[in-house]
Amino acid sequence: MSVLRIGNCSGFYGDRLSAMREMLEGSADGHGLDVLTGDYLAELTMLILGKDTMKDPSLGYARTFVRQVEESLGTALENGVRLVANAGGLNPAGLAERLREVARGLGLDPAIAHVEGDDLRPLGLYDGALTANAYLGGFGIARALDAGADIVVTGRVTDASLVLGPAVAHFGWSPTSYDELAGAVVAGHVLECGTQATGGNFSGFRSLPHTGQPLGYPLAEIAADGSCVITKQDGTGGAVTRDTVTAQLVYEIQSTRYLGPDVTTLLDTVELSQVGPDRVAIRGVRGEAPPEQLKVCVNELGGFRNTVELVLTGLDIDAKADWVREQLTPALRAQSVTWTRTALPMPDADTEEGASCLLRCTVKDPAPEPVGKAFTGPAVELALASYPGFTMTGPPGPATPYGVYRAAYVDRGRVEHAVVHADGSRERIADPTEFSQVDSHAGTRPSPYPAPADQLNRRMPLGTFVHARSGDKGGDANLGLWVSHDAPDAATYDARVTWLCKLITPKKIRELLPETADLDVEVFLLPNLGAVNVLVHGLLGEGVAASTRFDPQAKGLGEWARSRMVHIQEALL
């Protein structure tokens, strides 16, 4: 059976608006696509869409997708490229109807289907939830494509389902084709964040070709056995290498068992090889039956928050910070008050900015009043009555609401996964009949880890030959570390992998990243990828919208880790 070519044109709600058109025009130039996917949903996005529906119940979907389709629908239909996106958010039926309106305005008549059943709010299972969405699998998408849909929009399916669904439709895989399904999940995971697979957010960015072209979006050539080749269209920026693909593979994965609604993917079986310029093959992926329950993304309104940012300049920084805190603290009525300060400036700085640091005060409360004027007023009133050089980076704003994310789990029998076909008929998607036990600690690093004896060491940054990619999973931070594929020979690469697996322990992570000192840290080994994956529980508090960290999604955590000094054996350099 022919290879299935699936591309991506969006990694988040707000990604490059022209990407759908670029991918379709590139397909028309001889790099034919069968399916073009777009991922628009994240935990934070569901919260944003939930707020949209509070203002207008007819919204709740990614409106930028409508603009993209309006611009590119004719090209997609002309070239036989089907569009699959989770842009439906909280209202996939509303998005499907809006797309039909757009198509009629263009004089076109595509078959548009939508997948629904993920929204659990009507069940009343989660008191006070603004959103509560089960992560559905890809078989609803597959049924819509089997029935002839040109466009399929969904609510909260797993990101990888956008690729798994078309692959199931194309190859006719069954619900127990676990290895094939797992291969499609890995392909989908690589594609889901768009240009993060072609050099975006890549710690080895200096090795990329800098041609002035925007980074190209990835595409996967999927075979009937679930293996694939990751590539990109010619003439686009960035690169597809083992390192750029690994960067995305270790992004927000948690343990070595990647749990999904259709299959449990064994990440420690993934094999990568460079098979040509901008072509990386993924083979050997194994899968097992999925878990019995479905994961649920729950967002609640947590309250209101506000921040003031004070500038401290020159001498006596600590004393200035102490005094303004003493002055402001008695006036604060908020339930939660968090003070943070950036690093002290260098002595004898030759610019005012270089001689300054920032002191932030962030407040949170269930009610808006304690974090509104009751907070900003006393702060502003200190302008002529506090430390020398008192100034703010900007005028304080009003109280803003924030959300709290939490993961929950639901029995599959409470969820009605369904597809509404283009003709209006509704089809229920059957649940799997085989399940596996969840082992959230699979692949945990053994202790002690067997390794050669230490040799003469040099103190150098961890990032000397180690790449990193980090991000958030609710209130947890995920940090993937892997050995670069630029070693002079295979023996050196293998020795570096052994060194990394020996080095990275929960204790070492707490040493390298002191902010994790009091937190639960897990380390998982992925030697097949030359990698370790680190899960730091609770670093981000109640999730991105509620976190008081200056990096609430832990996007820079990996770069901080790479900058930390470690002892490296001379023979590895």
Side-chain angles (χ1 to χ4, degrees), residues 117-129 131-134 136 294 296 409-417 426 428:
D118 60 295
D119 191 347
L120 304 185
R121 289 175 297 178
L123 300 182
L125 299 176
Y126 310 99
D127 291 340
T131 71
N133 297 79
L136 303 181
L294 295 176
V296 182
Y409 297 88
V410 66
D411 291 336
R412 290 176 184 262
R414 305 297 299 271
V415 179
E416 187 173 295
H417 183 182
R426 192 172 190 271
R428 173 76 184 267

Side-chain angles (χ1 to χ4, degrees), residues 162-516:
L162 301 173
V163 170
L164 183 146
V168 168
H170 185 76
F171 296 113
W173 297 332
S174 75
T176 57
S177 301
Y178 297 131
D179 292 347
E180 292 87 346
L181 295 174
V185 165
V186 171
H189 182 55
V190 174
L191 263 58
E192 70 187 44
C193 289
T195 53
Q196 280 199 163
T198 62
N201 289 334
F202 174 44
S203 55
F205 69 99
R206 293 193 301 169
S207 66
L208 298 174
H210 292 274
T211 62
Q213 293 290 327
L215 296 184
Y217 283 74
L219 61 92
E221 300 170 351
I222 303 177
D225 64 355
S227 64
C228 71
V229 172
I230 304 298
T231 185
K232 66 182 185 69
Q233 292 176 336
D234 294 341
T236 58
V240 177
T241 69
R242 283 179 293 174
D243 284 327
T244 67
V245 171
T246 302
Q248 180 57 27
L249 277 175
V250 300
Y251 183 59
E252 299 178 350
I253 56 173
Q254 299 181 303
S255 82
T256 61
R257 297 298 185 263
Y258 195 57
L259 305 178
D262 297 317
V263 65
T264 297
T265 302
L266 311 185
L267 295 176
D268 51 6
T269 65
V270 178
E271 299 173 6
L272 302 182
S273 58
Q274 193 83 39
V275 294
D278 293 323
R279 294 180 65 81
V280 171
I282 302 178
R283 301 186 179 95
V285 185
R286 301 292 304 277
E288 297 176 347
E292 193 165 1
Q293 290 188 310
L294 295 176
K295 185 178 178 181
V296 182
C297 170
V298 180
N299 278 298
E300 303 163 337
L301 289 178
F304 297 82
R305 65 183 295 165
N306 207 341
T307 299
V308 295
E309 199 168 62
L310 306 168
V311 182
L312 309 174
T313 303
L315 304 177
D316 306 317
I317 294 292
D318 288 334
K320 291 171 181 174
D322 291 343
W323 189 26
V324 74
R325 288 182 63 165
E326 291 170 6
Q327 291 177 300
L328 187 56
T329 296
L332 301 181
R333 297 191 288 113
Q335 186 180 86
S336 169
V337 179
T338 303
W339 291 88
T340 58
R341 193 199 67 197
T342 59
L344 291 172
M346 294 292 292
D348 196 25
D350 58 5
T351 66
E352 182 181 343
E353 185 173 1
S356 303
C357 67
L358 302 178
L359 178 68
R360 299 185 185 93
C361 181
T362 300
V363 293
K364 298 192 295 185
D365 197 88
E369 292 81 10
V371 300
K373 286 289 187 181
F375 167 58
T376 59
V380 171
E381 289 168 6
L382 292 174
L384 304 180
S386 190
Y387 64 87
F390 181 106
T391 187
M392 298 180 180
T393 55
T400 57
Y402 71 90
V404 173
Y405 162 83
R406 62 184 173 92
Y409 297 88
V410 66
D411 291 336
R412 290 176 184 262
R414 305 297 299 271
V415 179
E416 187 173 295
H417 183 182
V419 56
V420 178
H421 293 291
D423 62 4
S425 61
R426 192 172 190 271
E427 179 182 353
R428 173 76 184 267
I429 304 302
D431 288 328
T433 57
E434 298 179 2
F435 304 101
S436 62
Q437 295 297 313
V438 175
D439 182 4
S440 60
H441 300 292
T444 304
R445 178 194 184 280
S447 182
Y449 186 84
D454 285 343
Q455 303 168 15
L456 181 63
N457 292 336
R458 290 174 59 185
R459 188 165 170 80
M460 300 184 72
L462 175 63
T464 300
F465 53 73
V466 173
H467 288 308
R469 171 69 59 80
S470 57
D472 63 316
K473 275 292 183 183
D476 301 336
N478 193 91
L479 167 63
L481 300 167
W482 74 100
V483 172
S484 169
H485 287 87
D486 61 357
D489 50 59
T492 303
Y493 173 81
D494 291 342
R496 288 176 174 180
V497 172
T498 298
W499 172 85
L500 179 66
C501 292
K502 177 186 177 184
L503 176 74
I504 301 300
T505 65
K507 180 180 178 181
K508 189 64 177 180
I509 288 296
R510 296 187 185 101
E511 175 188 318
L512 293 174
L513 308 176
E515 294 175 8
T516 69

